[in-house]
Amino acid sequence: MNTPMKIHPKKLLMIIAEAALERQLVADVKRLGANGYTVIDVRGGGARGDRGADWDADRSIQMEVICDDAVATRIAEHVYSSYFENYAVTVCVTDVGVLRQEKF
Amino acid sequence: MNTPMKIHPKKLLMIIAEAALERQLVADVKRLGANGYTVIDVRGGGARGDRGADWDADRSIQMEVICDDAVATRIAEHVYSSYFENYAVTVCVTDVGVLRQEKF
Amino acid sequence: MNTPMKIHPKKLLMIIAEAALERQLVADVKRLGANGYTVIDVRGGGARGDRGADWDADRSIQMEVICDDAVATRIAEHVYSSYFENYAVTVCVTDVGVLRQEKF
Amino acid sequence: MDPVVYFFVLGFVARLLRSDLKLPGVLYESLTIYLLLAIGIKGGVELASHVYGAIAIQALIVVAMGAALPLIAFPLLRYIGRFDTHNAGAIAAHYGSVSVVTFAVGVAYLAKRGVEYESYMPLFVALLEAPGIIVGVILGRMSERGREMNWAALMREILLGKSIVLLLGGLAIGWLAGPAAIAPVKLFFFDLFKGALCLFLLEMGLIVASRIGDLRKAGIFLTGFGVLMPLLAGSAGALVGTLMGLSVGGTTLLATLAASASYIAAPAAVRIALPQANPGLSLAAALGITFPFNITLGISLYHAIAQFLHA
Amino acid sequence: MDPVVYFFVLGFVARLLRSDLKLPGVLYESLTIYLLLAIGIKGGVELASHVYGAIAIQALIVVAMGAALPLIAFPLLRYIGRFDTHNAGAIAAHYGSVSVVTFAVGVAYLAKRGVEYESYMPLFVALLEAPGIIVGVILGRMSERGREMNWAALMREILLGKSIVLLLGGLAIGWLAGPAAIAPVKLFFFDLFKGALCLFLLEMGLIVASRIGDLRKAGIFLTGFGVLMPLLAGSAGALVGTLMGLSVGGTTLLATLAASASYIAAPAAVRIALPQANPGLSLAAALGITFPFNITLGISLYHAIAQFLHA
Amino acid sequence: MDPVVYFFVLGFVARLLRSDLKLPGVLYESLTIYLLLAIGIKGGVELASHVYGAIAIQALIVVAMGAALPLIAFPLLRYIGRFDTHNAGAIAAHYGSVSVVTFAVGVAYLAKRGVEYESYMPLFVALLEAPGIIVGVILGRMSERGREMNWAALMREILLGKSIVLLLGGLAIGWLAGPAAIAPVKLFFFDLFKGALCLFLLEMGLIVASRIGDLRKAGIFLTGFGVLMPLLAGSAGALVGTLMGLSVGGTTLLATLAASASYIAAPAAVRIALPQANPGLSLAAALGITFPFNITLGISLYHAIAQFLHA
Ligand SMILES: Nc1ncnc2c1ncn2[C@@H]1O[C@H](COP(=O)(O)O)[C@@H](O)[C@H]1O
Ligand SMILES: Nc1ncnc2c1ncn2[C@@H]1O[C@H](COP(=O)(O)O)[C@@H](O)[C@H]1O
Ligand SMILES: Nc1ncnc2c1ncn2[C@@H]1O[C@H](COP(=O)(O)O)[C@@H](O)[C@H]1O
Ligand code: NA
Ligand code: NA
Ligand code: NA
């Protein structure tokens, strides 16, 4: 494997949300076209106060989804319109490169 | 919510540090203008040896802060000048896009 | 420390992989030129099914490596050629800026 | 006061003083699972030796009581407290359901005083988890004719939440296995119970103290509600228990259950079913006021009421 | 059925019904460590009072049996099941090794019936962990002449995996300390054992139910293999145990060990040594079929076989 | 040697052999909390039945001893070891404070030999946590006239660290509740203590072995210091204990406390208060040398010294 592989541009979508939304978010991102997702347990704080992850109601997750631009936009808009108003949710998106573009 | 939302450019600051600094770092980023932060428990290794997170003195955290350029620079420089010399700390910053720019 | 510090461009390599690979990956990234690494316990799902992190065989990690372009490519290609076929592995790379370039 | 309460106080004071004492979230989760399972098993073992017909009728009455409690709470919250429908429904759902740990402290209270109670009470704990939440959510969604609710999903969320699964699962295991087969795990599930409860209460103290800010925001009305509602519900529970033929001890526990507000099952279900409600309000009242009130003063009050009604 | 099995069923049903019940991964890890250590210590304490010469010969026979089991499994998988070499070797490695929890359920089964057994059996558990994995891996790599294998690394991976370290470490501690010195930790390591086993089985039920999809993919052959292989291996184990002079109880446990398939040590080692093998297949069979089969029906069958052979 | 020490050895050897055995960090945290709380409660229950005046005077002497210990360590480190002020102060702070687990091993040692001791010793554990750290930090910061130190914050960090909060909290609970009310949690907090200590020591063995590299870097002087300092401090402690009127057992435990070096409270506080100090040095000495030395040889030496002084 000596010829350098091509790097394909994709998006990495990061969603930080209340843990209560995990199940729904997994279903959402699959339905909206993502081929995979990664979830991390996190704690934090923001406009809606501190979330120290001490107990159930206080737990947060960070979901990461590598996908193409259209899917990222679709998911971000869905999260925005469905959850932003009532839940502690933060979304951002960044450019990444991947080796196997057919995977995402 | 059918018209595509505008993506605003922001920075994502990542600080990897000894867990002993968590309290101070949270206070620091708030004071220096961040509206929120996310913390993850991590392990790792670098110039200052392996930190396997087996026990208190060995634990590390990764703090993520979405903010504008000026705040990111301010925090990075503060972390750099206050902790870099004596603590196991790593900082990097990346470009991200967000949907609600007033939030950050 | 009042003069703004220069931000140097680097790469952030993210490897999401089965936890069984952690030891090998740590050895790999060190051997291929990384000066440090960070590891996070994650769960997720992708082409190779859901990995809920409920128990040993189901655990995943996310490894983050800040390094220069050449090292990132080298590691990505090594991970790709060594593990991609037989393990649940995802790799992506993004641009980051760092304050102390000699560190990475 | 039972010494288990001291652990709550220790956690509370430690956090107020800004100590770095913190129980790992996973320990809290593990203790929750253990306590729910243990309460269930204990109830199940006892159930084995009872007349089911009589219990079935009591069970129906208890479920009805659980469904009725939010109907007391909701109007108070909506019309006196002036909360919007969502928040009134959400808080009513918490008070309609029950707190397993308050129940456990009640059991410890009776044990210390040597008061007997119907040993199948854990069955009622399991039965009281759901109805109050369901009624509270219905009340909270009354105003929404436009948006449809996925009721099947909500029911699954509530009925298959870990509280009910572990309580009912434990009951079933205890009942199927019977006292003899459960004996080898008696040490683990029964004798260690109170120690585990101490650790759990330590964590509760830490949590309550770190939510003290929410409480301040919640205002006078909610603070009053957090004391008055358990008194109302506790009296109602004591009445129901007495009429239903429970002993003084059983009546005290039923009153304690009625008076308690849920902070395991309800928050999870309500967060999904009534997203517009501010979870800080329900938790400030349930955790910040009612829980400490019940474990320090409430239970002995309900005991007094039960004694009075049986006199 | 022993009540510990009910906990497995509870977990299984809860997950099938899509309950949100979940045991923290760390609790599972902690329980694994505890169970392995406790089994080891118990065996070590008993070992102290035995004639080592006789046990040494038995130990050799047991190791040989462990190495032989994959030689039964592999041809079945390769030539009847039509799996490729890697997958056949991987599955054979799982069945060549043992399941500590199945062993523990077997011990509970005998204890309930008051059947005596050789108290140093935990030594055999430790001895049976490795040989089957090693032989399975060798079989699975037969086709690969080109790529070299780092055998030293593999051996270290297997022999220094947590299962063997904790079992042997516990054995050594129990043996060195002896019954008197172990007495102060008897409560912790022995009396709480069965309760901890219940929680572990609850988690196993959850895990097995969430892998039910793998099982469907695995197909008819593997499902049949998951029942037939333990019957074959269990009979072989019962025969070896009887010939070796074990009691009925000891024979039952050796048969149970032979019949059981590993899901702690083997998956970790095989994942590294045979990366081409699909771990879903081995685990579907070992966890999804053989484990439930053994703890519900298998053990009593092996007991019957042991009684028959001793009659 | 007490069998609890074998668990340390098992962990140590397993890690040296590069086994993948690892205790979840959360288990370590949970065990720490449990051990601190249990020691506190035990002391508190005993305290209930004592003359406070006498104890108060002893307590003052013990605090003074804790504050004096860094004054022995610092000059050795600074002028013979040639460490800079920060590192000398940091290491002195660790040795001025105490190791709760070493104390627990000491208690197990005495229990095994049937040696009585003053049952309120846990009070001294709590009292000895802080003074040594504070004096060590002051010494370590002597050179810094320019930069100001937030002493109030440091005091809060130390006095409200989890060690002191749990020890004192436990003492208060045990004392307020008294023996009768504590009885229902005796099993959990007292009878399981030694088993939990075993698991903790297993983890300590793993940690110490994985820091063996730091030790090599630390050099000859620090290795020698890690043995000599506990001998010095232990002798001093034995003298103080004898003069203060403690029994042989109590004297042994006070010597053990003086000889032990902290690795829970001190590292956390020193990391913030003396950031320039290299934590690898303090921990290499405290964990890598002194802790194993104390639990294997030290305690019996201090016992011998105590017997000699009482003869
Ligand atoms: N500026 C930010 N940077 C990083 N994470 C954030 C930021 N703002 C919010 N978060 C995360 O998103 C969660 C919800 O944010 P919020 O809705 O603003 O309270 C917080 O608990 C944080 O974990
Ligand atoms: N090149 C790197 N890439 C990713 N993480 C790093 C890197 N270098 C250091 N780290 C993280 O930062 C921590 C402190 O780094 P250091 O101060 O270099 O020992 C390490 O324990 C790692 O978790
Ligand atoms: N598109 C994706 N975005 C984020 N994480 C992913 C994605 N695809 C896969 N992963 C992660 O990588 C692991 C292995 O992926 P796979 O090999 O596709 O099953 C998954 O369990 C996820 O944690
Ligand atoms: Na209620
Ligand atoms: Na087997
Ligand atoms: Na000391």
Side-chain angles (χ1 to χ4, degrees), chain D residues 69 94-98 257-261:
Chain D
L69 287 174
H94 285 71
Y95 280 84
S97 184
V98 292
L257 283 170
S260 73

Side-chain angles (χ1 to χ4, degrees), chain E residues 65-66 69 92-99 128 229-230 233-234 254-262 294:
Chain E
M65 180 188 86
L69 287 174
H94 284 71
Y95 281 84
S97 185
V98 292
S99 153
L128 279 170
M229 182 64 205
L254 191 66
T256 301
L257 284 170
S260 74
S262 163
N294 277 334

